[in-house]
Amino acid sequence: MASNTGPEPCVMVIFGASGDLTHRKLIPSLYDLDVKGLLPERMTVIGVSRTPMTDQQFREKMLPSVQKFSTHFEQPRWAAFASRLNYFAMDGAKLDAFPALVERINSLARQQGIMKSSGGPNILFYLSVSPELYEPIVGNVGAAGLVAEGKRWCSIDPHETPWQRIIVEKPFGRDVASAVSLNRALGRVFEEEAIFRIDHYLGKELVQNILVMRFANSIFEPIWNRMYVDHVQVTAAETVGVGSRAANFYDTAGALRDMVQSHLLQVLAMVAIEPPSSYEGAAIMREKIRLFTCARPVPPADIPRWGALGRYGADDAAGEPAYESEKGVDPSRRTETYAAMRVEFDNWRWSGVPFYLRSGKKMAVKLTEVVVMFRSPPTNLFASLDPAAAQRPPNRLIINIAPREGISLRVEGKVPGSGLKIDSAKLDLDYHERFGGEVTEAYGPLILDAIRGDRTLFKHRDEVESGWRICQPFLDSPDLRRSIESYPPGSWGPRTGNELLRRDGRAWHEPQAGEVR
Ligand code: BG6
């Protein structure tokens, strides 16, 4: 969160109010923000979906989710928060339903005293519906006259003219062409500055901390390049399977689309971008775009050696099915629940340094981390005294994003005693031990940023499109898809995933039992 300015009153309209994300993340995050006094005092939420419901029924439906997923549930506070929640039943894909929605927005804004003198309230739209509804809803929001943002800049007092912004959930398209089309649809209605393409990984503390670590310290930047870094690994491993999500989304997406193209590329960008000119949305986005556009194109014939796909097998002990037997899965699609790929950037800083990305379901542990592996010393001074010294591992920096946020640096040291024996030791910074605080759900701070108009932690259209361009050859490769392998649940993925690094004389970092970094 870059901004420290107070958020303005607004109406938040959530399309997809009966969906899973609204229950599990959006409403509990809003509740938590409210409890901490961070929401604008005059802010009202309208949940929109097709199921008929009264305001009261909507509030009752949200209550168990807030009890379960919020960090501070208390009944009296819930009552105050629930009065902010309203519901409006409509099909967002049908334009004729919109005049009544406009009326509802305006009447709630009047009740709350948040109409601006030049007409209408500030409105934050949130698109949390099936992706095929994104373009129709955005088109209808525009056709219904709900967006006047473009006129704001030519008004005498822009602060008296309401803003309209939109948060767009992932998946942001399913390939380059659909992402371009969605960006065009959004651009016909909203200014780019009013579009907040959300990636909840950018709301995670340690992801933001990568930039702080790199640019608030002077010791890392001089060695953060091809001269000193051998390679970088970005891992997002989960222990959960796909379960009921297979039928409604996952089987037509897979791990590359679901995790790699979105979250992992964003984490990678934080590690690899050049220093931005300021800690502001536009400056950071510019650097991410510059980085992505210099990703080295991989010839189609090489893709099977630059990527690996897998899907989890059955867990007989737990009585859980293999991915292919999950309800709603079409095995002929060969959808992956594990994906790994190698990316290289043809720029002065990173030329020749591979970035390996991997993500999988039903893996050995829940782990999200970045591993920066440094080069070995150019010559080994100690090899004649301690033959094992020749095999010592190089320095390694691990940034643990989950489950235990922190940073560790492996260094080599002399074991006390006579003679010369070398062993590894870790310098470890545990984020919570040092800074305290609590783990916050990433959605809340990001929604607050959108209300403030701060795009630092969101994605620009060019960034999204160039991210797809990096992944598209891997999605399109029939050879890569044919090579998909099963892996045992609770393992580190398929053999081909390990091969990807072994071929380059490297190995994935796998924490030992009980080790967090
Ligand atoms: C979501 C993906 O975006 O991120 C899910 O759609 C995944 O498949 C989730 O489980 C992981 O998020 P986190 O914050 O638990 O790492």
Side-chain angles (χ1 to χ4, degrees):
M1 229 186 317
S3 170
N4 292 322
T5 53
E8 286 184 53
C10 65
V11 178
M12 179 170 176
V13 179
I14 303 176
F15 289 101
S18 51
D20 194 47
L21 186 80
T22 305
H23 281 240
R24 283 194 306 119
K25 303 280 186 189
L26 304 186
I27 300 294
S29 305
L30 287 170
Y31 169 84
D32 283 340
L33 289 177
D34 197 24
V35 168
K36 291 182 192 154
L38 295 173
L39 283 187
E41 200 181 314
R42 287 169 301 143
M43 172 180 170
T44 193
V45 178
I46 307 179
V48 175
S49 64
R50 280 179 307 187
T51 322
M53 240 188 294
T54 62
D55 291 345
Q56 194 47 36
Q57 285 167 330
F58 180 56
R59 292 168 189 165
E60 283 163 14
K61 224 173 149 202
M62 292 300 126
L63 174 60
S65 308
V66 174
Q67 283 171 322
K68 185 164 171 197
F69 298 112
S70 110
T71 44
H72 306 91
F73 186 78
E74 284 174 35
Q75 192 63 39
R77 289 173 180 244
W78 162 252
F81 172 75
S83 67
R84 292 180 186 263
L85 301 182
N86 307 278
Y87 185 77
F88 190 77
M90 68 179 270
D91 181 348
K94 297 207 171 117
L95 181 57
D96 57 8
F98 272 77
L101 174 66
V102 177
E103 184 40 43
R104 187 76 200 277
I105 292 172
N106 288 338
S107 89
L108 281 166
R110 273 192 293 272
Q111 278 168 28
Q112 301 282 322
I114 55 177
M115 288 299 251
K116 295 265 184 164
S117 59
S118 59
N122 294 327
I123 309 175
L124 177 65
F125 297 99
Y126 200 117
L127 270 191
S128 170
V129 290
S130 307
E132 68 277 9
L133 293 174
Y134 285 7
E135 290 192 30
I137 291 179
V138 170
N140 289 343
V141 164
L146 275 163
V147 180
E149 179 81 5
K151 296 175 199 136
R152 189 172 144 84
W153 313 115
C154 40
S155 61
I156 292 168
D157 179 2
H159 294 292
E160 262 320 302
T161 307
W163 49 252
Q164 298 85 34
R165 298 180 185 141
I166 186 162
I167 301 183
V168 188
E169 240 331 302
K170 70 178 255 288
F172 201 92
R174 52 173 293 103
D175 50 22
V176 177
S178 54
V180 169
S181 163
L182 178 53
N183 276 329
R184 288 211 178 113
L186 281 160
R188 280 193 286 270
V189 177
F190 292 91
E191 303 282 329
E192 177 62 23
E193 286 67 30
I195 303 169
F196 291 74
R197 299 174 188 82
I198 197 166
D199 186 313
H200 79 275
Y201 268 52
L202 290 178
K204 290 180 189 274
E205 285 288 355
L206 253 276
V207 175
Q208 296 172 41
N209 196 41
I210 298 173
L211 289 190
V212 176
M213 195 195 84
R214 288 184 58 194
F215 303 126
N217 295 295
S218 58
I219 59 170
F220 295 112
E221 248 348 73
I223 55 168
W224 211 253
N225 57 50
R226 60 191 292 276
M227 305 293 286
Y228 296 93
V229 175
D230 178 73
H231 73 279
V232 176
Q233 303 180 9
V234 182
T235 293
E238 296 179 89
T239 50
V240 291
V242 177
S244 60
R245 284 180 84 213
N248 61 15
F249 160 71
Y250 198 91
D251 200 46
T252 55
L256 263 173
R257 288 191 171 91
D258 185 40
M259 294 292 292
V260 179
Q261 184 280 334
S262 48
H263 306 319
L264 266 57
L265 281 183
Q266 286 297 316
V267 175
L268 178 157
M270 295 295 165
V271 177
I273 56 171
E274 295 300 316
S277 56
S278 65
Y279 191 61
E280 276 171 13
I284 295 174
M285 286 170 178
R286 210 172 293 131
E287 294 307 331
K288 287 195 273 177
I289 296 164
R290 261 171 23 116
L291 175 76
F292 289 164
T293 46
C294 56
R296 170 177 297 184
V298 187
D302 292 347
I303 291 287
R305 286 186 296 111
W306 282 58
L309 303 180
R311 49 187 170 186
Y312 56 78
D315 186 343
D316 295 331
E320 290 174 5
Y323 176 72
E324 294 107 290
S325 310
E326 297 271 20
K327 203 160 161 255
V329 170
D330 173 355
S332 69
R333 284 197 188 111
R334 294 172 170 252
T335 300
E336 77 286 3
T337 61
Y338 170 100
M341 64 192 253
R342 171 188 167 135
V343 186
E344 284 191 25
F345 297 100
D346 279 331
N347 61 16
W348 276 59
R349 184 189 287 264
W350 295 122
S351 180
V353 177
F355 286 73
Y356 299 100
L357 311 179
R358 69 172 164 173
S359 178
K361 304 276 185 201
K362 288 214 182 181
M363 303 269 284
V365 289
K366 164 90 181 158
L367 178 75
T368 311
E369 67 172 18
V370 175
V371 179
V372 180
M373 203 62 95
F374 291 93
R375 289 184 186 279
S376 297
T379 177
N380 200 318
L381 191 62
F382 310 104
S384 59
L385 297 168
D386 175 5
Q391 309 300 325
R392 298 303 317 154
N395 297 123
R396 176 181 76 190
L397 181 80
I398 298 185
I399 302 167
N400 186 267
I401 297 162
R404 185 78 197 175
E405 300 167 315
I407 295 171
S408 80
L409 177 65
R410 182 175 65 194
V411 293
E412 298 298 286
K414 177 181 176 303
V415 179
S418 63
L420 191 116
K421 208 155 175 42
I422 298 176
D423 205 355
S424 304
K426 256 194 252 171
L427 307 178
D428 194 66
L429 165 64
D430 185 287
Y431 208 63
H432 291 287
E433 269 173 25
R434 169 61 188 88
F435 297 109
E438 54 187 38
V439 181
T440 332
E441 173 53 62
Y443 275 90
L446 291 174
I447 294 172
L448 204 55
D449 282 355
I451 298 174
R452 289 194 182 111
D454 179 349
R455 295 168 77 226
T456 310
L457 301 174
F458 292 83
K459 305 196 251 190
H460 187 274
R461 62 181 294 169
D462 295 346
E463 203 183 313
V464 171
E465 292 172 17
S466 48
W468 276 116
R469 282 191 190 97
I470 295 175
C471 293
Q472 193 75 54
F474 293 85
L475 290 165
D476 288 348
S477 166
D479 292 340
L480 180 63
R481 185 107 354 233
R482 260 194 300 276
S483 71
I484 189 167
E485 277 191 358
S486 284
Y487 57 93
S491 71
W492 281 102
R495 188 190 49 85
T496 46
N498 294 333
E499 272 302 306
L500 181 68
L501 270 74
R502 203 173 299 136
R503 261 196 301 273
D504 299 343
R506 302 179 174 114
W508 290 107
H509 170 238
E510 288 172 9
Q512 307 299 308
E515 190 190 36
V516 283
R517 290 180 277 283

